[in-house]
Amino acid sequence: MMSGTTPVIFTHDLMKSFGRVQALDGLNFNVEAGEIHGFLGPNGAGKSTTIRILLGLLRSDGGTVKVCGQDPWRDAVSLHKRLAYVPGDVELWPNLTGGETIDMMLQLRGQYNQRRRDTLIERFDLDPRKKNRTYSKGNRQKVALVAALASHVDLLLLDEPTAGLDPLMEVVFQEVIREEQREGRSVLLSSHILAQVEALSDQISIIRHGKIVESGTLSDLRHMTRTTVVVETDHPADSLATLPGVHNLRVEVSKTTFDVDGDTVPHLMPKLTSLGVRSLVAHPPTLEQLLMRHYGTATDGITAAGAGTSPSGNAPEQRQDTP
Amino acid sequence: MSSTLTTQRTTEHSPAQATLTGTGRLLRTMIRRDRVRTTAWVVGLGLLGFYFAHAIQVIAEDTSELVSLTVMFADPVGRMMVGPGYGMDAPTHERFFAAGYVLFLYLLCALMSIFTVVRHTRADEQAGRSDLVRATVVGRHAPLTAALILTVLANLAVGVLVFGGAVSAGYAFTGSMLVAAGGVATGVFFGGLGAVTAQLASSSRSASGFAGAVLGLAYVVRMAGDMAAPGGSSLSWFSPLAWAQQTAPYVVDRAWPLLPLVGGGVLLAACGFVLSTRRDVGSGILPTRLGRSSAHSFLGTPWGMAYRTLRGGLRGWGIALVLTAAMYGSFTQTMVDAGDDLPAEFSQIFAGQDMIAGYVAYMSLFLAVFVAAAGVNAMGHLRGEELSGRAELGVSTSMGRGMWLVAHLCVIVAGVFSMLVMIGLVMAATAVATMATPVDGLFTDAMVASVHQFPAVLAVLGVVAAFFGWLPRFAMPIGWLLVGCAGALSAFGPLLELPDAVLSLNVFGHLAGFPVEDITGTPVVALTAVGTLGIVLGLAGWRQRDIHNV
């Protein structure tokens, strides 16, 4: 993936502490031009701190950070003409309408596309005449998204952008982000839900305790993902337990449940077919399961039990398989 | 099957009772939630009543002093401000108390009631808390009923304290009872009004605003009605705010004007209950007004953004202060008339042999301290913008963080400056208009006296801005401390003969007391320098610090 061009976002050994809390502890990751980069991490891992340093709102304590080749702290103004930001928890000016807020943000940022603004408002099904104070969280999110997506910018910094959106609107969001990519824009998409990032990202970085613990394409990360499979077969499926990459096999009458490593799925399929599959359900892993498996704990904030409740509308069923 | 279900329900609760299920438990929760706020209102109002009742006896010790003071309440301008002025032809301390001061208690009772009802009904619905409550075993009418009971209880508590205050000052039992009951009845009426507006509007702001507008209208109607004739005119009877004072405590002592107040309150509350069944939870009877779908191009500039953010607060303060200036200005002639007979304490406060000059100097100073409060309040708004994350959203555009602060500070400075100009204009115009004999240069003097305070206001803003840049946590406490010192020392400093070191804490005390004294350049230059330097320092600090959102 490393090309000769300079990355849109470059960080090296980035440090930031708040009092005694070390929020970022030597963060290293790059976003190449034109890619959608999934920035995954549990709550409190340092995602928002990173994004706010990239915006020049916070000053890093150490390390290097470049956005579009510029220093985000020193060159904030010229840099902000080239990027748009959607915060995770959007607070808007209560006395403005949604439409006024969108226009204000677009005009303050610089160049924007009026037609794109109008179509986006329509596609996100937003009434721009309502006062911000009457909007739900999801509608405030839409205002911030339209204000960001209708700008002529090179880079989009989206901090948990779909947190308040319903599943239908999330589909619209994914379409729009793909259009943005076709226009040549780069996107940094932060989330704590693997499924949301998986659908869009070319590259994924996983942050934990202020450090990147994994980085690569989705297939690079296959070795980390373990799919949960529930299968009903004509013949007993006990023999599957001997296959490499199969874990936690349990048999209940005709129903068999097991986990399989992402990169060994191809070897599994012929064996399954020979057993006579009547039904098959496969659940992708959640970020929390993934972190649990590889690092013992998900994070300081999320317990194994907490990992079971995912706020995503299309999140898969959750299972606990802690040894 | 269905018939057994119905019988079961009717044996448990009749439908009328069922809509009130849980009222008692809700009331206890509301009292617990309000234990500080409502207690503060009640105790505050009680103390105010106690203070009013006793202060008159200190200000005017005997009847002759009292007679000289009655001009303030007995002439048309006085009646316009404080009420119908019953018994001012033969003033006693208790009559003076009832004629001059209780209207303010009634106004505050009305506000307390509106806020309490709206806070526990519409505000809870707006925040989504009432969904949680209604999902439990709670009847449809229980929240409004509990809120109204709480309001009545709070008003009764105020009534007991006010009655106690009046009786402890040695005032007659019946009259004191009527003064207290007038407050309770006024509170009940406006609580009922709040119950109606909470059904009409879908936001708590609009609900309180709507009820507040009715209260304001009632005040204006009462002003015109009471001004027309001593004891009020027929117009007075169109204002519910005027009814309580028509009991004429300590003079006629009649209770029947309280009946329409209580009856009206009950009727309004009943309307509230009926209206509440005609709407969904969370929505209002009135449709929410839609605004512009696109922005005026001015809004898309840093100045436009800052202006729209700060406009509401500054406008509110501005309107209140300009109205106060109009009131003070129109009192000028009254002050001159009373001047010769006023107790020595008064002339000491007004700092001069020339009554008019002293009055103008004092009022400009007093109003300018409030202008500084408006400025500090606006700075608090800025801090709120930072903490809510809206500043972050603004700074993430290409305006830059320096521009963000410059634009907002410019709006605040321009706002307080135009407030001083407006106050000066209105005070000068009303003073000139009400003077029996024209006074040379009064208009210019009043105008200049107000604008002359600008360097002191700027200095306060500068200090707050410097703290905002470097130690944002301390910006607001320091700002309010400066305003508090200025207010207290301007009002009482001359009477207390405090050491110069303490007096110098009063930012406003450094300026010359124009028009009594001539304007001197040094404090004007020094205060302007402090203000400018503070703003520059604040900008430097803001440029180098993290923007917080927690």
Side-chain angles (χ1 to χ4, degrees), chain B residues 437-464:
Chain B
T437 46
V439 178
D440 278 347
L442 175 59
F443 190 92
T444 329
D445 280 357
M447 188 67 216
V448 171
S450 185
V451 177
H452 174 234
Q453 303 289 336
F454 179 67
V457 178
L458 187 68
V460 172
L461 288 179
V463 173
V464 180

Side-chain angles (χ1 to χ4, degrees), chain B residues 18 21-22 25-26 129-140 142-143:
Chain B
T21 308
R25 260 174 298 133
L26 274 181
R129 283 188 292 269
S130 71
D131 288 6
L132 277 177
V133 172
R134 297 244 185 140
T136 64
V137 189
V138 158
R140 188 196 300 140

Side-chain angles (χ1 to χ4, degrees), chain B residues 209-225:
Chain B
F210 194 16
V214 174
L215 179 64
L217 186 69
Y219 190 81
V220 171
V221 171
R222 187 212 56 75
M223 271 173 126

Side-chain angles (χ1 to χ4, degrees), chain B residues 188-443:
Chain B
V188 167
F189 184 90
F190 284 95
L193 181 69
V196 172
T197 61
Q199 315 307 319
L200 296 178
S202 60
S203 81
S204 65
R205 246 172 86 128
S206 318
S208 303
F210 194 16
V214 174
L215 179 64
L217 186 69
Y219 190 81
V220 171
V221 171
R222 187 212 56 75
M223 271 173 126
D226 287 348
M227 190 171 77
S233 61
S234 47
L235 185 59
S236 304
W237 290 94
F238 285 93
S239 166
L241 202 56
W243 297 341
Q245 278 180 310
Q246 287 301 334
T247 56
Y250 312 114
V251 185
V252 188
D253 282 337
R254 54 183 181 192
W256 62 261
L258 298 181
L259 281 177
L261 272 179
V262 176
V266 171
L267 205 67
L268 283 167
C271 284
F273 282 113
V274 172
L275 287 175
S276 75
T277 60
R278 306 263 164 101
R279 64 179 188 88
D280 296 329
V281 174
S283 69
I285 299 266
L286 299 177
T288 45
R289 247 189 333 182
L290 295 174
R292 298 168 59 101
S293 65
S294 60
H296 191 272
S297 58
F298 175 56
L299 185 57
T301 65
W303 314 99
M305 175 187 178
Y307 173 69
R308 278 297 288 276
T309 304
L310 297 163
R311 183 176 70 178
L314 289 173
R315 194 163 53 184
W317 280 87
I319 290 172
L321 289 176
V322 164
L323 286 178
T324 315
M327 182 180 97
Y328 286 150
S330 58
F331 265 127
T332 315
Q333 178 67 51
T334 316
M335 290 308 295
V336 176
D337 294 343
D340 304 329
D341 314 318
L342 272 182
E345 286 83 6
F346 270 72
S347 39
Q348 202 177 348
I349 292 178
F350 295 143
Q353 310 86 337
D354 183 351
M355 196 63 206
I356 298 178
Y359 183 67
V360 167
Y362 183 71
M363 289 311 151
S364 332
L365 166 63
F366 183 73
L367 286 165
V369 172
F370 276 93
V371 171
V376 169
N377 186 61
M379 291 299 293
H381 205 120
L382 276 197
R383 181 83 178 121
E385 289 291 294
E386 184 187 0
L387 293 177
S388 68
R390 288 191 288 265
E392 171 180 315
L393 208 51
V395 168
S396 80
T397 68
S398 57
M399 81 163 99
R401 56 169 72 208
M403 193 62 214
W404 182 88
L405 187 57
V406 167
H408 282 81
L409 284 177
C410 281
V411 169
I412 295 176
V413 170
V416 294
F417 184 76
S418 27
M419 265 186 229
L420 290 171
V421 171
M422 289 297 295
I423 286 170
L425 270 175
V426 168
M427 190 168 62
T430 48
V432 168
T434 51
M435 287 306 281
T437 46
V439 178
D440 278 347
L442 175 59
F443 190 92

Side-chain angles (χ1 to χ4, degrees), chain A residues 225-229 244-247 258-265 268:
Chain A
T225 63
R226 198 182 273 183
T227 307
T228 303
V229 179
V246 171
H247 312 271
F258 59 90
D259 301 332
V260 57
D261 289 342
D263 45 3
T264 58
V265 174
L268 174 74

Side-chain angles (χ1 to χ4, degrees), chain B residues 143-159:
Chain B
L144 181 55
T145 312
L148 286 169
I149 294 175
L150 174 68
T151 307
V152 172
L153 288 178
N155 278 295
L156 282 173
V158 172

Side-chain angles (χ1 to χ4, degrees), chain B residues 156-175:
Chain B
L156 282 173
V158 172
V160 169
L161 291 177
V162 169
F163 175 73
V167 167
S168 73
Y171 299 162
F173 183 87
T174 318

